[in-house]
Amino acid sequence: MHRRQKPSAPEHKRDLAAHGGDLSMSHNGTRSFFNFSQLVLSAGHLKPPPVLKHSKITYFEVEILDVQSKKQICIVDKIPPSSTLLDVKHKFHKACPQWYPSRVGLQLERNGPYLKDSVNIQSLAVSSIITLYFTDLGQQVGWTTFFLTEYTGPLLIYLLFYIRLSTIYDQVESMKNFRHPVVHLACFCHCLHYIRHLLETLFVHKFSGGHTPLKNMIKGCAFYWGFTSWIAYYINHPRYTPPSFGHRQVSFAALAFLMCEAGNHFINVALAHQNHSGGKACFPSPTYNPFTWLFFLVSCPNYTYEVGSWISFTVMTQTLPAGIFAFLMVIQMSLWAQKKHKLYLKRFYPEVRRKAAMIPIIF
């Protein structure tokens, strides 16, 4: 029988050392992997480094040509996409100081309409270069200045005729003739009409900063001031004859005049509230105020009341100049009403489609 020999002490130690070394290396590797795993878990999800985004803003160049000769006037460069046409006009004014923004008319096509200042420049762009045609609109005035000048003249001119200046009428004849009460009433109504217009221009109407050519203001002043002089001359003349039906005709006409003036004021207030209420645009609806009920029949009741005032003034004074002025006002107001009615049909078709423009059935 063979006996199992025990390894000698030195060999036994070598074997243990070898196995122990292997075990320690395996243990150290496991421990290192465990520590690395704990480090990853404690650090959370690894995030990729942020990518730097370089935002590229596209600028436009606006080439401005003369509408008649097609010659280049200037190039306005570095226009951001968010800019409006008014911004382009301001930069154009810096390049050409003789043309301030309100005097500049810009068109996308030579025979096209003038572009509004609020148009975004990006909406016009087909490429990075935009070509616009320039027209000199002439000297401009603001709408507030336009109406204040137009309405102040008739107010002062009528009062000059009312006090019967010696340079206008014969002083001896003016002292002899007695003034009929309708002369004083006509002065009151005429002044009331233009004072209302002036106050509404200052406190009711809201103008968006637009302008109009100076020649339009000159034509408007010539029309109103000229007719006021003609009307006032006859009504305040010492030989003026009162209306045919006397006190009854004057009273009814004066009452109709005052009602039309009140109605015109309330309609203008309603329109101003509708245009600047801040909510969704909608056609003004009649309120509890009876003067606004005319909205049920027509889309431009302010013109209806304006015409009614001058027709009533003509009946009250019974003068030919007042009648001619009222007739011309009917024509002018009907043209304005038709133009505005077409715009209302585009914006508020369901509400306006069954209404007349100014006078029910007729206009």
Side-chain angles (χ1 to χ4, degrees):
M1 293 180 64
H2 297 284
R3 288 185 179 179
R4 188 177 183 183
Q5 295 181 353
K6 293 182 180 180
S8 61
E11 291 177 357
H12 180 66
K13 289 180 179 179
R14 279 199 305 268
D15 293 339
L16 289 177
H19 288 289
D22 294 338
L23 290 173
S24 63
M25 289 178 62
S26 177
H27 179 71
N28 290 337
T30 306
R31 190 171 182 179
S32 299
F33 180 78
F34 177 77
N35 292 336
F36 178 74
S37 301
Q38 292 294 325
L39 179 63
V40 172
L41 292 175
S42 62
H45 296 288
L46 293 177
K47 296 182 179 179
V51 180
L52 296 178
K53 295 182 179 180
H54 300 282
S55 58
K56 295 182 180 180
I57 300 176
T58 304
Y59 291 96
F60 295 101
E61 289 185 358
V62 179
E63 181 188 25
I64 299 179
L65 308 179
D66 183 77
V67 71
Q68 298 294 335
S69 62
K70 293 185 180 180
K71 292 182 179 180
Q72 185 186 95
I73 300 176
C74 73
I75 293 180
V76 183
D77 57 355
K78 293 184 179 181
I79 304 295
S82 59
S83 299
T84 62
L85 201 68
L86 183 60
D87 300 327
V88 176
K89 288 184 178 181
H90 281 292
K91 290 191 174 185
F92 178 62
H93 173 56
K94 290 182 180 179
C96 305
Q98 67 270 29
W99 294 308
Y100 50 90
S102 61
R103 188 169 181 163
V104 176
L106 295 177
Q107 302 161 275
L108 199 58
E109 300 175 357
R110 293 186 66 189
N111 298 325
Y114 293 113
L115 300 172
K116 295 183 179 180
D117 291 345
S118 59
V119 172
N120 187 277
I121 199 67
Q122 193 172 13
S123 64
L124 306 175
V126 179
S127 64
S128 60
I129 300 177
I130 304 171
T131 302
L132 297 177
Y133 294 94
F134 161 76
T135 301
D136 183 10
L137 299 178
Q139 191 171 354
Q140 305 286 302
V141 294
W143 283 110
T144 302
T145 304
F146 176 90
F147 288 116
L148 290 179
T149 305
E150 191 175 70
Y151 297 144
T152 302
L155 179 63
L156 299 178
I157 289 172
Y158 197 98
L159 291 175
L160 292 177
F161 283 91
Y162 177 73
I163 61 177
R164 289 183 175 178
L165 295 176
S166 58
T167 55
I168 301 175
Y169 303 110
D170 182 73
Q171 197 65 21
V172 177
E173 198 173 37
S174 298
M175 294 297 294
K176 289 182 179 179
N177 289 18
F178 170 75
R179 293 196 187 193
H180 193 274
V182 71
V183 176
H184 305 290
L185 183 60
C187 180
F188 170 78
C189 292
H190 192 276
C191 293
L192 176 66
H193 177 78
Y194 285 102
I195 289 174
R196 178 185 63 80
H197 272 305
L198 290 172
L199 293 177
E200 288 178 352
T201 300
L202 293 174
F203 303 109
V204 177
H205 299 302
K206 303 296 181 182
F207 304 106
S208 58
H211 296 79
T212 185
L214 178 62
K215 61 181 180 181
N216 289 346
M217 188 179 75
I218 295 175
K219 290 191 294 185
C221 291
F223 177 77
Y224 280 97
W225 295 15
F227 264 103
T228 298
S229 302
W230 192 22
I231 293 171
Y233 176 80
Y234 277 91
I235 295 177
N236 295 287
H237 198 280
R239 296 183 182 180
Y240 168 75
T241 54
S244 303
F245 296 97
H247 179 72
R248 180 177 297 179
Q249 178 178 342
V250 173
S251 299
F252 279 109
L255 181 60
F257 178 88
L258 294 176
M259 291 180 63
C260 288
E261 287 295 302
N264 203 338
H265 171 70
F266 289 120
I267 293 297
N268 288 332
V269 171
L271 290 174
H273 178 73
Q274 176 257 339
N275 291 331
H276 301 275
S277 59
K280 184 180 179 181
C282 58
F283 189 76
S285 57
T287 63
Y288 62 89
N289 189 338
F291 290 103
T292 63
W293 294 351
L294 200 56
F295 274 121
F296 284 120
L297 302 176
V298 297
S299 60
C300 303
N302 51 328
Y303 295 149
T304 307
Y305 282 124
E306 183 75 12
V307 168
S309 294
W310 286 112
I311 293 177
S312 302
F313 187 84
T314 301
V315 174
M316 179 178 63
T317 58
Q318 197 172 315
T319 53
L320 179 63
I324 295 176
F325 182 73
F327 175 74
L328 294 177
M329 290 296 287
V330 170
I331 296 176
Q332 182 63 73
M333 294 293 168
S334 64
L335 294 176
W336 288 345
Q338 287 289 339
K339 184 177 180 180
K340 189 171 289 188
H341 185 69
K342 291 180 180 179
L343 295 177
Y344 284 155
L345 285 175
K346 294 180 180 179
R347 295 183 61 190
F348 317 110
Y349 176 73
E351 297 94 335
V352 186
R353 62 188 179 92
R354 293 186 178 180
K355 301 180 190 295
M358 188 180 75
I359 301 177
I361 302 174
I362 300 177
F363 296 109

